[in-house]
Amino acid sequence: MMADITPVLERADANLPKSLDRLFDLVRIKSISTDPAFKAECRKAAEWLVAELNGLGFTASVRETPGHPMVVAHHVGAKANAPHVLFYGHYDVQPVDPLNLWDAPPFEPAIKEIEPGRKVITGRGTSDDKGQLMTFLEAVRAYKEIHDALPCRITILFEGEEESGSPSLKPFLEANAAELKADYALVCDTSMWDSETPAISAGLRGLVGEEIVIKAADRDLHSGFFGGAAANPIHILTDILAGLHDETGRVTLENFYDGVEETPAQIKAAWETLGQTAEKFLGQVGLSIPSGEKGRSVLELTWARPTAEINGITGGYTGEGFKTVIAAQASAKVSFRLVGHQDPAKIRETFRAYVRSKVPADCSVEFHAHGGSPAIHLPYDSSLLNTAKMALSDEWPKPAVVIGMGGSIPIVGDFQRMLGIESLLVGFGLSDDRIHSPNEKYELMSFHKGIRSWIRILDALAA
Amino acid sequence: MMADITPVLERADANLPKSLDRLFDLVRIKSISTDPAFKAECRKAAEWLVAELNGLGFTASVRETPGHPMVVAHHVGAKANAPHVLFYGHYDVQPVDPLNLWDAPPFEPAIKEIEPGRKVITGRGTSDDKGQLMTFLEAVRAYKEIHDALPCRITILFEGEEESGSPSLKPFLEANAAELKADYALVCDTSMWDSETPAISAGLRGLVGEEIVIKAADRDLHSGFFGGAAANPIHILTDILAGLHDETGRVTLENFYDGVEETPAQIKAAWETLGQTAEKFLGQVGLSIPSGEKGRSVLELTWARPTAEINGITGGYTGEGFKTVIAAQASAKVSFRLVGHQDPAKIRETFRAYVRSKVPADCSVEFHAHGGSPAIHLPYDSSLLNTAKMALSDEWPKPAVVIGMGGSIPIVGDFQRMLGIESLLVGFGLSDDRIHSPNEKYELMSFHKGIRSWIRILDALAA
């Protein structure tokens, strides 16, 4: 196939400045899905993508949901016997607070040379996931410009609620299963192993998100008058949260580890060859000591072990200075990362029962569910995976590796269950991309070679 | 003395509408001392008071400090052998958040009839402490208008940092001790026992305020990538805070109870005659079960036992929706109420050592001190106290009672140590005044009979 794709790769190289312009246009749209204030911006991003896709010869449309809209697009392939692929990405982004920690405004993308020869694209969503999904669109563009056709039939699904629990996704897949059904899915929302080594993710942790609100007195109280006698909801909350782990770092919820299996020795051995250490992994964010379960490697902790994390907490007076108040309520956002066959619904119920058991009779608790999905494990040796592995290895300095992943991409499980198709998880982010954090970036190299990687993968899949 | 004060009391009654206008003017000034945004408003309150005091014949001035200014005023007394009193109040107020819980704008005072015949003055600071300090000024006004003189020599000290730890107070007292020295202090910042029973407070808990900031990674992290391996500062914080109490409600800090004495049986017996119960005390704020140390009455818990309270906590994502983040830092504001001879400096150090012992080696903690003062115990049977008790009993439906108090008014200890004088703590707030909370109010009856009470007390002290 190499004869065919060389001009396509060259076209992608030549297109790069304009490809970047297009990515910048998309990044400028403030599509924060979790905050209702940005509803119109989410729609704008969807409409922008539809216009781009129509321009590339797709039949594309904005598709309504009860939340932010989906984008669906279809394009025929040149070869009748080539597979039909469903490409997935998300156009929504994380909130940007704390805004004061950004070096530049989050929605004003720019190219920055952070060390000699190393340029990055800065801005919210550059890595998660706008830069990633644009690698695919720009691969398609180069292909179309050279061959006036695509190597295989492509359906595209972009969602706008990935960062807020994807509430509309399952109903949408269910209602449109026939239209979206393909031979397999390509999902571009993951990372490379390192800047030279592409990676295909074969395992993804599941997720259960819960918000709890503890309510005590019917008003904020003066801690002098009432302190020592009135229930303090922050005490109740910290007691609940501190009780989630024992001294060995294990989660204490009853039956929490049901369905968690030890990682097979051969997989652990393969991971060990990657040379990851706690010092290297944590050192990149200023830490050095693994927290969580004792006696396990950081790869095991983040790829193969479940967690309970507090993602946010608030209660009482949090402004400048001091206020001697006993708050009327306090709340926390808690998430559990799941592995193996852990059941999200059961874990949510166990957590709620635990919380209820710790709330005094004259206080109350409210629960708000935020997403729930089981862990995903893809077969380590499918032909899909092997084809992609070879195509990626042609593009990058080092051969592609098959890895686990700590994050949760519930769509992969949804595709399995609702469309009956497997996913290939390929992405070009780096672990220092600061996704979900201030100063998010995407390597210019990731963008450029990401485009070239998809050209190679599409071509290899069509062969 | 009754012959002399009847016209003064009648004048106070006649003045009431205008007295309220003046109080409203003062309440409209947004003198939130803890928030730097309201610096100019604090000065405005001080200047307003100086103008009022000069109008009453005092020699009054705004006195600079490194923080918000003091107000100091002097007035001679008619009788050479009458005592010289120092009256203390504070013109600053608590922050108003959460603003959405206020029924009316906090700085637009109004009279509201909350049940037939029961009117209250609503607004931030109406009870704590603007309404209270104005009872004294209006008592002075009535006296002056009738007698063109005051029954005794009066010095007035108003501070503007009481709600933010009084950082400038001690240096100011030290630098101006000769000018402020009097025979005793009158402090109007406390409450009645109930709406019919005036109270003199003979015990005040001390206070240690500490803010702790736990810092982990050098940025916010994605809980998928790093969860299970990277330290979560909210976990560390909740673990620290949950560990402050054991299952019996006792504070676990080493030597915390050094200097705490059991309340004498006769005092406990006197408290029992007040008829307070957990149901009544906590019922007014929607609670019923005493928290804190087991096996003690709510009066003992709030008047005679030390506490550790979390007054505020924040970390991670606290906006709408969900963000799967591991925060870079988390913080809490913690206060300890002290009794007996507990040493604020020692308790601060013990707390800090405890916190440090719980912070992993790759994380760090910052401490910010917010105020520290020991508990105060005034003699239960001084002639000052007995004189005031009788004067108050003449004004109100039920005789005055001598009580403990859960709050902290560090000024009382400062007056003891730096001016060598005792304080008389008389105030007309009610426990449901919602001070420090949304919808603060002050009973119209408290204001009116408070003015009349000071007329009686000043007259009795001068006799």
Side-chain angles (χ1 to χ4, degrees):
Chain A
M1 306 305 306
M2 291 305 289
D4 278 327
I5 61 165
T6 302
V8 182
L9 294 170
E10 286 171 358
R11 177 57 64 100
D13 297 345
N15 279 351
L16 188 61
K18 290 204 166 155
S19 301
L20 281 167
D21 287 346
R22 287 184 281 268
L23 171 59
F24 280 26
D25 283 346
L26 180 57
V27 172
R28 284 189 194 102
I29 303 172
K30 301 170 182 171
S31 46
I32 302 169
S33 59
T34 201
D35 187 340
F38 295 91
K39 192 166 191 284
E41 291 282 299
C42 289
R43 175 166 300 272
K44 196 172 155 191
E47 286 168 352
W48 186 94
L49 286 163
V50 164
E52 282 297 306
L53 286 162
N54 283 327
L56 287 169
F58 281 78
T59 308
S61 57
V62 168
R63 303 284 284 268
E64 298 307 326
T65 77
H68 303 299
M70 303 280 174
V71 171
V72 176
H74 300 282
H75 197 295
V76 295
K79 296 184 194 168
N81 60 342
H84 171 194
V85 302
L86 171 65
F87 181 82
Y88 166 89
H90 64 90
Y91 65 76
D92 63 319
V93 300
Q94 281 275 321
V96 295
D97 57 287
L99 198 54
N100 62 317
L101 296 185
W102 286 79
D103 295 335
F107 295 107
E108 296 177 17
I111 301 281
K112 197 171 158 185
E113 185 156 15
I114 57 174
E115 53 190 63
R118 184 179 170 198
K119 291 182 177 171
V120 300
I121 310 161
T122 60
R124 172 56 89 227
T126 50
S127 177
D128 183 18
D129 183 45
K130 289 172 173 174
Q132 303 246 58
L133 71 84
M134 286 299 284
T135 58
F136 191 81
L137 259 60
E138 294 300 321
V140 163
R141 183 185 306 277
Y143 229 109
K144 280 286 297 242
E145 289 179 2
I146 297 299
H147 294 297
D148 198 28
L150 294 184
C152 55
R153 183 175 160 197
I154 296 175
T155 296
I156 282 179
L157 173 65
F158 292 143
E159 76 160 312
E161 302 182 329
E162 200 274 342
E163 302 294 6
S164 52
S166 299
S168 308
L169 190 67
K170 280 185 201 174
F172 189 82
L173 288 183
E174 197 159 44
N176 300 280
E179 181 184 353
L180 296 170
K181 168 88 178 163
D183 294 311
Y184 35 76
L186 306 178
V187 175
C188 190
D189 198 15
T190 53
S191 293
M192 312 252 296
W193 170 248
D194 60 31
S195 62
E196 300 192 314
T197 317
I200 300 170
S201 301
L204 288 165
R205 290 196 285 192
L207 182 71
V208 169
E210 276 280 292
E211 185 170 356
I212 60 175
V213 185
I214 307 289
K215 298 186 173 190
D218 58 15
R219 71 199 71 165
D220 284 0
L221 305 177
H222 188 293
S223 75
F225 283 164
F226 287 96
N232 183 328
I234 310 181
H235 287 207
I236 299 166
L237 186 62
T238 57
D239 192 45
I240 288 168
L241 298 174
L244 281 174
H245 295 90
D246 67 18
E247 316 83 66
T248 70
R250 276 174 73 90
V251 177
T252 55
L253 294 181
E254 208 174 346
N255 303 322
F256 181 76
Y257 290 92
D258 281 5
V260 179
E261 279 161 26
E262 285 298 323
T263 309
Q266 75 197 72
I267 295 187
K268 278 204 218 179
W271 288 348
E272 266 166 36
T273 66
L274 292 170
Q276 186 60 288
T277 64
E279 290 67 30
K280 267 201 269 180
F281 180 69
L282 295 173
Q284 64 186 319
V285 296
L287 295 171
S288 59
I289 306 167
S291 74
E293 294 177 88
K294 306 265 184 260
R296 296 182 185 271
S297 74
V298 287
L299 289 188
E300 211 189 339
L301 287 171
T302 54
W303 290 353
R305 299 300 299 175
T307 70
E309 290 286 353
I310 311 165
N311 303 111
I313 190 167
T314 185
Y317 183 67
T318 60
E320 275 200 62
F322 213 89
K323 190 171 165 179
T324 49
V325 69
I326 298 179
Q329 66 173 58
S331 65
K333 299 182 204 267
V334 178
S335 64
F336 299 91
R337 297 277 169 182
L338 311 185
V339 302
H341 301 287
Q342 281 180 299
D343 179 338
K346 268 193 195 162
I347 283 173
R348 192 187 303 283
E349 271 322 301
T350 308
F351 174 64
R352 290 184 175 188
Y354 162 73
V355 172
R356 282 192 200 99
S357 76
K358 302 271 255 178
V359 176
D362 60 345
C363 299
S364 65
V365 57
E366 266 178 22
F367 297 98
H368 302 279
H370 287 277
S373 60
I376 298 295
H377 294 278
L378 301 174
Y380 268 72
D381 53 1
S382 69
S383 72
L384 169 64
L385 191 146
N386 285 326
T387 304
K389 206 169 159 181
M390 282 187 288
L392 286 166
S393 301
D394 284 342
E395 176 62 27
W396 294 85
K398 294 190 180 164
V401 292
V402 177
I403 61 171
M405 239 199 78
S408 305
I409 306 186
I411 186 77
V412 177
D414 295 334
F415 286 162
Q416 268 183 344
R417 280 185 302 277
M418 308 183 76
L419 304 182
I421 62 177
E422 295 297 332
S423 299
L424 176 74
L425 284 85
V426 172
F428 309 99
L430 292 184
S431 60
D432 67 352
D433 277 356
R434 297 171 179 257
I435 69 170
H436 296 206
S437 299
N439 299 321
E440 180 174 349
K441 59 88 178 161
Y442 194 49
E443 301 282 326
L444 181 57
M445 179 69 83
S446 293
F447 188 60
H448 185 189
K449 290 177 88 69
I451 296 167
R452 292 171 55 98
S453 296
W454 285 121
I455 293 169
R456 290 184 192 275
I457 291 171
L458 286 175
D459 192 68
L461 291 176
Chain B
M1 305 304 307
M2 291 303 290
D4 278 329
I5 61 165
T6 302
V8 182
L9 294 170
E10 286 170 357
R11 177 57 63 99
D13 297 346
N15 279 353
L16 188 61
K18 291 202 167 155
S19 302
L20 282 167
D21 287 346
R22 286 184 283 268
L23 171 59
F24 280 26
D25 284 347
L26 180 57
V27 172
R28 284 189 194 102
I29 304 172
K30 301 170 182 171
S31 46
I32 301 170
S33 59
T34 200
D35 187 339
F38 295 91
K39 192 165 190 286
E41 291 282 300
C42 290
R43 175 166 300 271
K44 197 172 155 191
E47 285 168 352
W48 186 93
L49 286 163
V50 164
E52 281 297 306
L53 288 162
N54 282 327
L56 287 170
F58 282 78
T59 308
S61 58
V62 169
R63 303 283 284 267
E64 299 307 326
T65 77
H68 303 299
M70 303 280 175
V71 171
V72 176
H74 301 282
H75 197 295
V76 294
K79 297 186 195 167
N81 60 344
H84 172 193
V85 302
L86 171 64
F87 181 83
Y88 166 88
H90 63 90
Y91 65 76
D92 63 321
V93 300
Q94 281 276 321
V96 294
D97 57 288
L99 198 54
N100 62 317
L101 295 185
W102 286 79
D103 296 335
F107 295 107
E108 295 177 19
I111 301 281
K112 197 171 158 184
E113 185 156 15
I114 58 173
E115 53 190 61
R118 183 179 170 199
K119 291 182 178 172
V120 300
I121 309 161
T122 61
R124 172 56 90 228
T126 50
S127 177
D128 183 18
D129 184 44
K130 289 171 173 174
Q132 303 245 59
L133 71 83
M134 286 299 285
T135 58
F136 190 81
L137 258 61
E138 293 301 320
V140 163
R141 182 184 307 277
Y143 229 110
K144 280 288 296 244
E145 288 179 3
I146 296 300
H147 294 298
D148 199 28
L150 293 184
C152 55
R153 182 175 161 199
I154 296 175
T155 295
I156 283 180
L157 173 65
F158 292 142
E159 77 161 311
E161 302 182 329
E162 200 274 343
E163 303 294 5
S164 52
S166 299
S168 308
L169 190 67
K170 280 185 201 174
F172 189 82
L173 288 182
E174 197 159 43
N176 300 281
E179 180 184 351
L180 296 170
K181 167 88 178 164
D183 294 309
Y184 35 76
L186 307 178
V187 175
C188 191
D189 198 17
T190 53
S191 292
M192 313 253 295
W193 169 249
D194 60 30
S195 61
E196 299 193 316
T197 316
I200 300 170
S201 301
L204 287 165
R205 291 195 287 190
L207 181 71
V208 169
E210 276 280 290
E211 186 171 357
I212 60 174
V213 185
I214 307 289
K215 298 187 173 188
D218 58 14
R219 71 200 69 165
D220 285 359
L221 305 176
H222 187 294
S223 75
F225 283 163
F226 288 95
N232 183 328
I234 310 180
H235 287 208
I236 298 166
L237 186 62
T238 57
D239 193 45
I240 287 168
L241 298 174
L244 281 173
H245 295 89
D246 67 17
E247 317 82 66
T248 70
R250 275 174 75 88
V251 176
T252 55
L253 294 182
E254 209 174 344
N255 303 323
F256 182 75
Y257 289 92
D258 282 4
V260 179
E261 279 161 25
E262 285 298 322
T263 309
Q266 75 197 73
I267 295 188
K268 277 206 221 178
W271 288 349
E272 265 164 38
T273 65
L274 293 170
Q276 185 60 288
T277 64
E279 291 68 30
K280 267 200 269 180
F281 180 68
L282 295 174
Q284 64 186 322
V285 296
L287 295 171
S288 58
I289 306 167
S291 74
E293 293 177 88
K294 306 265 183 260
R296 297 182 185 272
S297 74
V298 287
L299 289 188
E300 210 188 340
L301 287 171
T302 54
W303 290 352
R305 300 299 299 176
T307 70
E309 291 285 353
I310 311 165
N311 303 111
I313 190 166
T314 185
Y317 183 67
T318 60
E320 275 201 63
F322 212 88
K323 189 171 166 181
T324 49
V325 69
I326 298 178
Q329 65 173 57
S331 66
K333 299 181 204 268
V334 177
S335 64
F336 299 90
R337 297 277 168 183
L338 311 185
V339 302
H341 301 286
Q342 282 180 298
D343 180 338
K346 268 194 194 162
I347 283 174
R348 192 187 303 282
E349 272 322 301
T350 308
F351 174 65
R352 290 183 175 188
Y354 162 74
V355 172
R356 283 192 199 98
S357 76
K358 303 271 255 178
V359 176
D362 60 345
C363 299
S364 65
V365 58
E366 266 178 22
F367 297 97
H368 302 279
H370 288 276
S373 60
I376 299 295
H377 294 276
L378 302 174
Y380 268 72
D381 53 1
S382 69
S383 72
L384 169 64
L385 191 145
N386 285 325
T387 303
K389 205 169 157 181
M390 281 187 289
L392 284 166
S393 301
D394 284 342
E395 176 61 28
W396 294 85
K398 294 190 180 165
V401 293
V402 177
I403 61 173
M405 238 199 80
S408 305
I409 305 185
I411 185 77
V412 177
D414 295 334
F415 286 162
Q416 266 183 345
R417 279 185 302 276
M418 308 184 74
L419 305 183
I421 62 177
E422 294 298 331
S423 298
L424 177 74
L425 284 85
V426 172
F428 309 99
L430 292 185
S431 60
D432 68 352
D433 277 355
R434 298 170 178 260
I435 69 170
H436 296 206
S437 300
N439 299 321
E440 180 174 348
K441 59 89 178 162
Y442 195 47
E443 301 281 325
L444 181 57
M445 179 68 81
S446 292
F447 187 60
H448 184 189
K449 290 177 88 70
I451 297 167
R452 292 172 54 99
S453 296
W454 285 120
I455 293 169
R456 291 184 191 274
I457 291 171
L458 285 175
D459 193 68
L461 291 176

PDB file of all heavy atoms in Angstrom, chain B residues 22-38:
ATOM      1  N   ARG B  22     -31.311  55.952  62.785  1.00  0.00           N
ATOM      2  CA  ARG B  22     -29.849  56.005  62.911  1.00  0.00           C
ATOM      3  C   ARG B  22     -29.238  54.596  62.793  1.00  0.00           C
ATOM      4  O   ARG B  22     -28.236  54.404  62.111  1.00  0.00           O
ATOM      5  CB  ARG B  22     -29.469  56.668  64.236  1.00  0.00           C
ATOM      6  CG  ARG B  22     -29.684  58.178  64.215  1.00  0.00           C
ATOM      7  CD  ARG B  22     -29.208  58.857  65.505  1.00  0.00           C
ATOM      8  NE  ARG B  22     -30.143  58.676  66.605  1.00  0.00           N
ATOM      9  CZ  ARG B  22     -31.140  59.537  66.908  1.00  0.00           C
ATOM     10  NH1 ARG B  22     -31.306  60.652  66.222  1.00  0.00           N
ATOM     11  NH2 ARG B  22     -31.937  59.285  67.923  1.00  0.00           N
ATOM     12  N   LEU B  23     -29.869  53.631  63.455  1.00  0.00           N
ATOM     13  CA  LEU B  23     -29.363  52.256  63.339  1.00  0.00           C
ATOM     14  C   LEU B  23     -29.376  51.796  61.876  1.00  0.00           C
ATOM     15  O   LEU B  23     -28.417  51.188  61.385  1.00  0.00           O
ATOM     16  CB  LEU B  23     -30.206  51.301  64.204  1.00  0.00           C
ATOM     17  CG  LEU B  23     -29.910  49.802  64.011  1.00  0.00           C
ATOM     18  CD1 LEU B  23     -28.446  49.482  64.325  1.00  0.00           C
ATOM     19  CD2 LEU B  23     -30.837  48.951  64.880  1.00  0.00           C
ATOM     20  N   PHE B  24     -30.462  52.112  61.179  1.00  0.00           N
ATOM     21  CA  PHE B  24     -30.573  51.715  59.771  1.00  0.00           C
ATOM     22  C   PHE B  24     -29.426  52.320  58.946  1.00  0.00           C
ATOM     23  O   PHE B  24     -28.846  51.658  58.080  1.00  0.00           O
ATOM     24  CB  PHE B  24     -31.919  52.155  59.181  1.00  0.00           C
ATOM     25  CG  PHE B  24     -33.066  51.238  59.530  1.00  0.00           C
ATOM     26  CD1 PHE B  24     -33.034  50.460  60.690  1.00  0.00           C
ATOM     27  CD2 PHE B  24     -34.180  51.148  58.710  1.00  0.00           C
ATOM     28  CE1 PHE B  24     -34.096  49.618  61.015  1.00  0.00           C
ATOM     29  CE2 PHE B  24     -35.237  50.307  59.021  1.00  0.00           C
ATOM     30  CZ  PHE B  24     -35.199  49.544  60.183  1.00  0.00           C
ATOM     31  N   ASP B  25     -29.122  53.605  59.224  1.00  0.00           N
ATOM     32  CA  ASP B  25     -28.009  54.244  58.507  1.00  0.00           C
ATOM     33  C   ASP B  25     -26.718  53.447  58.701  1.00  0.00           C
ATOM     34  O   ASP B  25     -25.953  53.243  57.757  1.00  0.00           O
ATOM     35  CB  ASP B  25     -27.791  55.675  59.022  1.00  0.00           C
ATOM     36  CG  ASP B  25     -28.851  56.631  58.476  1.00  0.00           C
ATOM     37  OD1 ASP B  25     -29.577  56.246  57.523  1.00  0.00           O
ATOM     38  OD2 ASP B  25     -28.967  57.747  59.018  1.00  0.00           O
ATOM     39  N   LEU B  26     -26.492  53.007  59.925  1.00  0.00           N
ATOM     40  CA  LEU B  26     -25.257  52.277  60.227  1.00  0.00           C
ATOM     41  C   LEU B  26     -25.272  50.886  59.572  1.00  0.00           C
ATOM     42  O   LEU B  26     -24.255  50.429  59.029  1.00  0.00           O
ATOM     43  CB  LEU B  26     -25.084  52.161  61.746  1.00  0.00           C
ATOM     44  CG  LEU B  26     -23.830  51.427  62.248  1.00  0.00           C
ATOM     45  CD1 LEU B  26     -22.549  52.060  61.709  1.00  0.00           C
ATOM     46  CD2 LEU B  26     -23.810  51.388  63.774  1.00  0.00           C
ATOM     47  N   VAL B  27     -26.422  50.221  59.608  1.00  0.00           N
ATOM     48  CA  VAL B  27     -26.519  48.868  59.024  1.00  0.00           C
ATOM     49  C   VAL B  27     -26.311  48.910  57.508  1.00  0.00           C
ATOM     50  O   VAL B  27     -25.784  47.969  56.917  1.00  0.00           O
ATOM     51  CB  VAL B  27     -27.879  48.215  59.390  1.00  0.00           C
ATOM     52  CG1 VAL B  27     -28.082  46.898  58.621  1.00  0.00           C
ATOM     53  CG2 VAL B  27     -27.952  47.949  60.892  1.00  0.00           C
ATOM     54  N   ARG B  28     -26.711  50.015  56.899  1.00  0.00           N
ATOM     55  CA  ARG B  28     -26.555  50.118  55.431  1.00  0.00           C
ATOM     56  C   ARG B  28     -25.081  50.130  54.991  1.00  0.00           C
ATOM     57  O   ARG B  28     -24.769  49.864  53.834  1.00  0.00           O
ATOM     58  CB  ARG B  28     -27.234  51.396  54.921  1.00  0.00           C
ATOM     59  CG  ARG B  28     -28.739  51.271  54.867  1.00  0.00           C
ATOM     60  CD  ARG B  28     -29.410  52.447  54.169  1.00  0.00           C
ATOM     61  NE  ARG B  28     -30.826  52.407  54.461  1.00  0.00           N
ATOM     62  CZ  ARG B  28     -31.446  53.178  55.368  1.00  0.00           C
ATOM     63  NH1 ARG B  28     -30.770  54.095  56.035  1.00  0.00           N
ATOM     64  NH2 ARG B  28     -32.734  53.033  55.592  1.00  0.00           N
ATOM     65  N   ILE B  29     -24.193  50.448  55.914  1.00  0.00           N
ATOM     66  CA  ILE B  29     -22.763  50.478  55.571  1.00  0.00           C
ATOM     67  C   ILE B  29     -22.233  49.042  55.604  1.00  0.00           C
ATOM     68  O   ILE B  29     -22.363  48.346  56.609  1.00  0.00           O
ATOM     69  CB  ILE B  29     -21.987  51.382  56.555  1.00  0.00           C
ATOM     70  CG1 ILE B  29     -22.597  52.793  56.562  1.00  0.00           C
ATOM     71  CG2 ILE B  29     -20.508  51.421  56.173  1.00  0.00           C
ATOM     72  CD1 ILE B  29     -22.019  53.705  57.638  1.00  0.00           C
ATOM     73  N   LYS B  30     -21.641  48.597  54.486  1.00  0.00           N
ATOM     74  CA  LYS B  30     -21.274  47.182  54.323  1.00  0.00           C
ATOM     75  C   LYS B  30     -19.900  46.888  54.937  1.00  0.00           C
ATOM     76  O   LYS B  30     -18.954  46.522  54.242  1.00  0.00           O
ATOM     77  CB  LYS B  30     -21.282  46.824  52.833  1.00  0.00           C
ATOM     78  CG  LYS B  30     -22.632  47.048  52.173  1.00  0.00           C
ATOM     79  CD  LYS B  30     -22.565  46.922  50.657  1.00  0.00           C
ATOM     80  CE  LYS B  30     -23.936  47.195  50.056  1.00  0.00           C
ATOM     81  NZ  LYS B  30     -23.881  47.299  48.594  1.00  0.00           N
ATOM     82  N   SER B  31     -19.814  46.997  56.221  1.00  0.00           N
ATOM     83  CA  SER B  31     -18.506  46.932  56.890  1.00  0.00           C
ATOM     84  C   SER B  31     -18.090  45.497  57.208  1.00  0.00           C
ATOM     85  O   SER B  31     -17.914  45.128  58.366  1.00  0.00           O
ATOM     86  CB  SER B  31     -18.546  47.788  58.155  1.00  0.00           C
ATOM     87  OG  SER B  31     -19.729  47.533  58.897  1.00  0.00           O
ATOM     88  N   ILE B  32     -17.879  44.697  56.147  1.00  0.00           N
ATOM     89  CA  ILE B  32     -17.408  43.313  56.294  1.00  0.00           C
ATOM     90  C   ILE B  32     -15.888  43.343  56.454  1.00  0.00           C
ATOM     91  O   ILE B  32     -15.168  43.589  55.496  1.00  0.00           O
ATOM     92  CB  ILE B  32     -17.787  42.479  55.060  1.00  0.00           C
ATOM     93  CG1 ILE B  32     -19.302  42.479  54.855  1.00  0.00           C
ATOM     94  CG2 ILE B  32     -17.243  41.057  55.186  1.00  0.00           C
ATOM     95  CD1 ILE B  32     -19.744  41.886  53.519  1.00  0.00           C
ATOM     96  N   SER B  33     -15.420  43.069  57.654  1.00  0.00           N
ATOM     97  CA  SER B  33     -13.990  43.300  57.905  1.00  0.00           C
ATOM     98  C   SER B  33     -13.088  42.234  57.306  1.00  0.00           C
ATOM     99  O   SER B  33     -11.944  42.503  56.990  1.00  0.00           O
ATOM    100  CB  SER B  33     -13.731  43.384  59.409  1.00  0.00           C
ATOM    101  OG  SER B  33     -14.142  42.191  60.041  1.00  0.00           O
ATOM    102  N   THR B  34     -13.581  41.027  57.153  1.00  0.00           N
ATOM    103  CA  THR B  34     -12.692  39.944  56.737  1.00  0.00           C
ATOM    104  C   THR B  34     -12.389  39.984  55.240  1.00  0.00           C
ATOM    105  O   THR B  34     -11.447  39.357  54.783  1.00  0.00           O
ATOM    106  CB  THR B  34     -13.295  38.572  57.130  1.00  0.00           C
ATOM    107  OG1 THR B  34     -12.258  37.592  57.153  1.00  0.00           O
ATOM    108  CG2 THR B  34     -14.381  38.111  56.157  1.00  0.00           C
ATOM    109  N   ASP B  35     -13.176  40.723  54.483  1.00  0.00           N
ATOM    110  CA  ASP B  35     -13.014  40.764  53.032  1.00  0.00           C
ATOM    111  C   ASP B  35     -12.428  42.118  52.600  1.00  0.00           C
ATOM    112  O   ASP B  35     -13.062  43.156  52.761  1.00  0.00           O
ATOM    113  CB  ASP B  35     -14.396  40.549  52.393  1.00  0.00           C
ATOM    114  CG  ASP B  35     -14.301  40.417  50.879  1.00  0.00           C
ATOM    115  OD1 ASP B  35     -13.290  40.862  50.300  1.00  0.00           O
ATOM    116  OD2 ASP B  35     -15.243  39.870  50.284  1.00  0.00           O
ATOM    117  N   PRO B  36     -11.218  42.079  52.048  1.00  0.00           N
ATOM    118  CA  PRO B  36     -10.543  43.343  51.690  1.00  0.00           C
ATOM    119  C   PRO B  36     -11.362  44.233  50.745  1.00  0.00           C
ATOM    120  O   PRO B  36     -11.143  45.443  50.694  1.00  0.00           O
ATOM    121  CB  PRO B  36      -9.258  42.881  51.004  1.00  0.00           C
ATOM    122  CG  PRO B  36      -9.036  41.486  51.475  1.00  0.00           C
ATOM    123  CD  PRO B  36     -10.391  40.904  51.748  1.00  0.00           C
ATOM    124  N   ALA B  37     -12.305  43.625  50.035  1.00  0.00           N
ATOM    125  CA  ALA B  37     -13.113  44.417  49.098  1.00  0.00           C
ATOM    126  C   ALA B  37     -13.957  45.470  49.819  1.00  0.00           C
ATOM    127  O   ALA B  37     -14.426  46.433  49.204  1.00  0.00           O
ATOM    128  CB  ALA B  37     -14.020  43.491  48.282  1.00  0.00           C
ATOM    129  N   PHE B  38     -14.143  45.301  51.131  1.00  0.00           N
ATOM    130  CA  PHE B  38     -15.028  46.205  51.872  1.00  0.00           C
ATOM    131  C   PHE B  38     -14.271  47.151  52.811  1.00  0.00           C
ATOM    132  O   PHE B  38     -14.829  47.662  53.763  1.00  0.00           O
ATOM    133  CB  PHE B  38     -16.067  45.390  52.649  1.00  0.00           C
ATOM    134  CG  PHE B  38     -17.006  44.635  51.746  1.00  0.00           C
ATOM    135  CD1 PHE B  38     -16.708  43.339  51.342  1.00  0.00           C
ATOM    136  CD2 PHE B  38     -18.152  45.234  51.259  1.00  0.00           C
ATOM    137  CE1 PHE B  38     -17.556  42.652  50.488  1.00  0.00           C
ATOM    138  CE2 PHE B  38     -19.008  44.554  50.401  1.00  0.00           C
ATOM    139  CZ  PHE B  38     -18.710  43.265  50.014  1.00  0.00           C
TER     140      PHE B  38
END
